[in-house]
């Protein structure tokens, strides 16, 4: 019976030591090879030329039949979580039946110099307080 208790104690101690290694962060007082490596954040993307992107990719923002006119763009802002950018775009549009529907504002997302998403701007996007430049 004592041998059994000794074996269980040794195994429990070994398990405890191994478990402690799993929680060793970059500042833990353990040898360097046992520490979790800190991850470098990706470098920030360069500031995109929103006017040029929208002008060259109108179909990524507007439906072709909407006949966008008086297109204006706001300066880009860093995405709060991630490496990309967002910007607001506004234009006078027409409906599918050809009737004017007025100015519509979209929030676009830019990643690696490409418009990857667009959606109608919401109040939380603060597009109403942006300063716009025509393209």
């Amino acid at each position: 019976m004592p041998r059994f208790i000794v074996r269980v104690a040794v195994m429990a101690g070994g398990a405890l030591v191994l478990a402690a290694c799993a929680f060793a962060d970059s500042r833990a007082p353990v040898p360097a090879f046992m520490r979790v490596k800190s991850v470098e954040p990706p470098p920030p993307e360069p500031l995109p030329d929103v006017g040029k992107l929208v002008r060259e990719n109108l179909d990524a923002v507007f439906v072709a039949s909407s006949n966008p006119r008086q297109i204006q763009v706001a300066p880009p802002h860093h995405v709060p979580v991630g490496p990309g950018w967002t910007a607001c775009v506004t234009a006078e549009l027409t409906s599918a039946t050809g009737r004017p529907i007025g100015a519509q504002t979209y929030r676009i997302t830019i990643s690696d110099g490409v418009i990857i998403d667009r959606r109608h701007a919401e109040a939380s996007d603060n597009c109403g307080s942006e300063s716009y430049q025509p393209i």
Side-chain angles (χ1 to χ4, degrees):
M1 188 69 157
R3 282 185 177 170
F4 177 73
I5 293 174
V6 170
R7 286 181 184 166
V8 169
V10 169
M11 288 174 46
L16 185 61
V17 169
L18 289 175
C21 291
F23 298 108
D25 68 5
S26 60
R27 297 171 303 278
V30 295
F33 74 91
M34 297 174 84
R35 294 184 192 146
V36 173
K37 306 291 185 240
S38 61
V39 177
E40 294 289 327
E45 290 184 17
L47 186 69
D49 183 349
V50 179
K52 180 181 176 187
L53 276 173
V54 171
R55 187 174 37 257
E56 293 175 354
N57 301 289
L58 282 176
D59 58 337
V61 182
F62 305 105
V63 176
S65 63
S66 67
N67 190 23
R69 301 168 312 287
Q70 299 175 5
I71 303 167
Q72 298 182 15
V73 296
H77 299 283
H78 266 291
V79 173
V81 217
W85 298 85
T86 63
C88 297
V89 180
T90 187
E92 293 287 328
L93 304 177
T94 56
S95 69
T97 61
R99 289 192 174 129
I101 57 174
Q104 297 293 309
T105 305
Y106 294 92
R107 180 180 162 267
I108 61 172
T109 304
I110 303 165
S111 181
D112 293 325
V114 177
I115 299 172
I116 60 168
D117 187 34
R118 72 109 166 128
R119 64 175 174 78
H120 274 283
E122 299 172 352
S124 62
D125 295 326
N126 295 322
C127 289
S129 63
E130 291 285 349
S131 58
Y132 290 89
Q133 296 295 322
I135 61 168

